[in-house]
Amino acid sequence: MAWTAAKFSELAIETCLQIRVVFGLALRQTQGFVRSVFHLMELVLPVPDFSTLSRRADGLKLSNPKLRTNSERIALVIDSTGVKIFGTGEWQETKHGTRIKRRTWRKLHLGLDLNTGEIVCSGLTEDTAADPTVVPDLLDQIGDTVATFLGDGAYDGTPVRQELADRFEGIEVIIPPPKTAIPGPQAATAPTARDRDILAIQKNGRMSWQKQTGYGRRSRGETLMGRFKQVIGTTHRSRKLNNQRTEAKLGVAVLNTMTTLGRATFEKIYA
């Protein structure tokens, strides 16, 4: 009788890879960890080997990537941060103490819904990708209406503003223009939202504009980046870009699951 390899569902592969992300394991360690859990549970089940996990991680579709639990229109904050890749150079430095000339990075893009605290869109790109070029792909992941968009100065410009206006009618875009920005030629008769921001900053100052528009809420996007790095880690262990993207999506799924289990509430105490 010919030997046939065990078939594993995408959910089984996703579960193993999620365990890997949560505990920061290598693929061989993940295989052994799951096997030990099955042994403790007295379950006789096959376990995907490390090569199967690596191969199936390429383009893996997650079972439930979105866990949005609120019907309110989304208040979206998008930000990006660098994530280091643990490749052969880092391995040689760790093993032999050699110094590498250049480290490899990826850029992680996350979109946070301020109303629910959930990550509603995410992406992983080469470190050379400009933030505005990723916005359309991030917005494609959002099935609900976005009422407010907040981003730092990297997203300032016509392409991002036009993309948002085309997708979401009446959206409020809060992006600080650079200090050197000047109003457009039609600012006196038909000012755009960006023109109004520039004029408000010129008249009352940048801090006043930030308070008036609620731009300070964008700091929660930076907090999210810190949370991702603290809980999931600052390094992706996969070597292929598609596998790294799956690893990032799994990290997002883990954080969203934690968010749905409960969030801290804050109350101001008056002395």
Side-chain angles (χ1 to χ4, degrees), residues 74-241:
I74 295 174
L76 179 65
V77 177
I78 289 182
D79 204 354
S80 65
T81 187
V83 179
K84 192 168 76 70
I85 304 303
F86 192 89
T88 56
E90 285 78 4
W91 181 87
Q92 291 176 357
E93 183 177 13
T94 302
K95 182 75 174 179
H96 303 292
T98 58
R99 297 295 299 274
I100 58 176
K101 295 182 179 180
R102 184 178 183 275
R103 295 184 182 274
T104 304
W105 295 83
R106 295 286 185 259
K107 187 179 285 188
L108 176 67
H109 309 262
L110 297 179
L112 173 71
D113 180 6
L114 293 176
N115 295 325
T116 64
E118 297 173 9
I119 303 171
V120 293
C121 57
S122 64
L124 190 74
T125 63
E126 302 280 358
D127 59 350
T128 55
D131 290 344
T133 63
V134 186
V135 171
D137 291 336
L138 296 177
L139 297 180
D140 286 341
Q141 302 174 32
I142 302 175
D144 299 309
T145 302
V146 178
T148 306
F149 176 91
L150 296 97
D152 60 23
Y155 299 95
D156 180 59
T158 301
V160 171
R161 291 177 180 271
Q162 190 61 50
E163 183 74 27
L164 292 167
D166 292 342
R167 289 175 181 258
F168 309 108
E169 183 178 357
I171 185 173
E172 179 186 16
V173 179
I174 305 175
I175 302 174
K179 295 180 180 180
T180 56
I182 59 175
Q186 304 296 325
T189 56
T192 63
R194 185 173 186 268
D195 289 334
R196 289 191 290 269
D197 289 337
I198 295 172
L199 294 172
I201 291 173
Q202 290 178 348
K203 180 179 180 180
N204 302 315
R206 191 168 292 268
M207 292 302 297
S208 175
W209 174 84
Q210 291 183 3
K211 291 181 180 179
Q212 182 180 3
T213 59
Y215 178 72
R217 292 176 293 168
R218 195 195 66 82
S219 63
R220 289 179 57 184
E222 298 175 352
T223 302
L224 172 64
M225 292 299 179
R227 180 174 173 233
F228 188 97
K229 290 185 175 182
Q230 183 69 30
V231 177
I232 305 302
T234 60
T235 302
H236 281 337
R237 304 186 69 91
S238 302
R239 295 189 179 183
K240 296 180 180 179
L241 179 57

Side-chain angles (χ1 to χ4, degrees), residues 23-55:
F23 293 101
L25 304 175
L27 289 175
R28 289 178 185 269
Q29 292 173 323
T30 303
Q31 177 185 347
F33 184 95
V34 175
R35 183 175 294 162
S36 297
V37 171
F38 284 174
H39 177 72
L40 292 173
M41 297 176 66
E42 299 182 353
L43 295 176
V44 182
L45 292 173
V47 177
D49 59 61
F50 64 93
S51 61
T52 299
L53 292 175
S54 177
R55 184 178 68 256

